Amino acid sequence: METVDVDAYLSKRNIKTMASKNPVLVNSFGQDGVPFLWKFFDRYDMEKTLRLIKKPYPIEALGYVDKEGNNLILHLILHMRATGPAGQIFVLCSTLDSLLPYLPAGFANKKGYTLLHLLCRFSNQAAQFKVEKTILQILDREDANVRQLDSDKKNSALLTFCRNWKKASPAKSQIIKKFLSHRDCPTNIPNKQMDVPLNWLLTNGDEENALCLLKAGACPAYINTNQTTPLILACAYKLPAAACLILDLGGIPQQRDLNKKTALDYAKGNKMEAVLEKLGEPQAI
C-alpha cells in the first residue's frame, strides 16, 4: 500500500491532470489511512473521480471501507440523486461494468444497502437502459446477495426495483426473471409496511410481470398496513388476469381496505366481468 501526503497533492492546481497520468497516486492512501480517491471525490465530483478509475484498477483503494460500512462505489452512489443526471449515471454504470469482475457484487454497508439496492433506486428514464444492463450483470453473479434487506424500511432490491421501474418492458421482465432465478429470491419477504414486490407490480399496472411473480410462488394473500391485499390492488387497477389468478391461488376476497372497500367493490366499479363471475356475482355487471 503506497502512502503519500494526499492533502498536499490535492492542493496542487494541476492535480486532475497529474492523477489521470499517475495510477500509483490513484491507488495511494493518505497518512490517515484514507484513499486518495475518497479525498479526491470529496474535493471534486463523482464523474471526475470515476474517470480516474481505470486499468490497472486501484483494487486496494476500492476495497477500503469507511465507518458507515461503505466501499468507494457505494459511497459514490449514495451521493447521487436517484433522478439525476443521465451523464453521471452513464459514467457510473460504465465504470461498474468494468469493475464488477474485481468487486464483491453483494457487498452491503451497515444499513444493509447493496449495489443492487442502490441501482434499483434510479428512475432517470434517459439512463434506465444503461442501469438495466448493469443490474443484469450483477444478477448474473452468484454473490449478488438478492436476499439482503435494508435496515431502514426492510426493502429488498427486488421490491425497490418493482416500485421504481413503473413501466412494463422486455428488460424489466428479464431482470425480474433473473431475480427469480436465485434460490434465495425474496419474493415473499415484506417490508415494514408489509408490502411485497407483487404489490408494487400491481400498483404500477404491470400485469405481465405480476403474473410472472404469481406463477413463481408469490403469496396472493398478504395484507399490508393499509389493509390492502394483492386482490384489492388487482381489482382497483383493473388487472383482470392477475385478479383471476390471485383468486385461484387463494386470494382473500372478503378483506376491506382503509376505504372500507373489498375487491368486489372495485371489480364492480371497473366492470371486470371475469372477476365478478369468479366472485359469484355476474349479475352485478
Side-chain angles (χ1 to χ4, degrees):
M1 183 176 75
E2 190 82 18
T3 302
V4 300
D5 187 346
V6 170
D7 293 316
Y9 268 106
L10 287 171
S11 65
K12 296 180 185 295
R13 190 172 294 178
N14 64 338
I15 182 58
K16 286 175 277 186
T17 305
M18 285 175 60
S20 66
K21 297 177 179 178
N22 189 343
V24 174
L25 177 60
V26 172
N27 200 24
S28 66
F29 285 70
Q31 293 164 350
D32 57 1
V34 178
F36 169 84
L37 279 170
W38 285 65
K39 294 197 172 188
F40 186 91
F41 169 68
D42 290 340
R43 179 156 307 194
Y44 296 103
D45 63 30
M46 190 203 75
E47 202 166 329
K48 289 187 177 70
T49 305
L50 286 170
R51 291 189 188 283
L52 292 181
I53 302 173
K54 49 191 161 185
K55 287 185 177 179
Y57 296 119
I59 300 302
E60 285 187 71
L62 289 168
Y64 171 82
V65 176
D66 69 5
K67 62 184 180 181
E68 292 168 353
N70 295 310
N71 60 18
L72 179 66
I73 298 299
L74 293 183
H75 181 67
L76 293 177
I77 301 175
L78 282 164
H79 281 78
M80 289 179 67
R81 287 182 299 111
T83 53
Q88 276 193 1
I89 297 171
F90 269 89
V91 175
L92 170 71
C93 291
S94 295
T95 305
L96 274 177
D97 291 346
S98 301
L99 286 175
L100 273 173
Y102 308 94
L103 296 174
F107 179 84
N109 67 10
K110 289 183 179 178
K111 289 190 173 181
Y113 289 106
T114 63
L115 269 177
L116 274 177
H117 277 99
L118 298 179
L119 288 172
C120 289
R121 298 181 318 159
F122 289 128
S123 51
N124 186 315
Q125 295 291 320
Q128 211 162 64
F129 77 93
K130 186 68 174 172
V131 179
E132 288 166 348
K133 180 186 170 190
T134 304
I135 289 172
L136 283 168
Q137 238 193 300
I138 295 172
L139 288 170
D140 275 336
R141 294 269 297 266
E142 287 186 13
D143 63 341
N145 196 8
V146 297
R147 199 172 181 82
Q148 178 72 41
L149 305 180
D150 71 63
S151 60
D152 292 331
K153 296 180 179 178
K154 301 297 181 188
N155 288 323
S156 65
L158 175 60
L159 188 147
T160 303
F161 178 78
C162 291
R163 180 186 64 207
N164 292 339
W165 257 251
K166 299 188 186 303
K167 293 181 180 177
S169 70
K172 180 179 179 181
S173 299
Q174 189 181 1
I175 287 170
I176 287 174
K177 286 172 184 172
K178 280 282 185 185
F179 267 110
L180 293 171
S181 71
H182 286 260
R183 283 186 300 173
D184 55 350
C185 181
T187 311
N188 289 316
I189 297 182
N191 64 8
K192 280 187 177 178
Q193 286 75 43
M194 292 301 292
D195 275 317
V196 285
L198 176 62
N199 287 11
W200 280 107
L201 291 174
L202 295 168
T203 299
N204 288 330
D206 186 352
E207 188 167 45
E208 179 187 344
N209 284 308
L211 290 169
C212 176
L213 225 59
L214 284 162
K215 290 171 185 175
C219 176
Y222 265 111
I223 303 173
N224 69 11
T225 52
N226 292 324
Q227 302 303 304
T228 300
T229 63
L231 182 58
I232 286 175
L233 291 171
C235 292
Y237 292 98
K238 204 173 182 179
L239 307 173
C244 287
L245 184 55
I246 288 167
L247 281 166
D248 289 343
L249 294 172
I252 311 170
Q254 67 272 24
Q255 175 67 27
R256 293 184 181 275
D257 63 15
L258 292 182
N259 295 318
K260 306 299 181 188
K261 288 186 174 183
T262 64
L264 177 61
D265 295 321
Y266 290 107
K268 284 179 180 177
N270 285 324
K271 297 182 169 61
M272 298 168 73
E273 299 182 20
V275 180
L276 289 167
E277 193 169 334
K278 273 188 175 289
L279 289 168
E281 295 221 10
Q283 72 280 4
I285 300 168

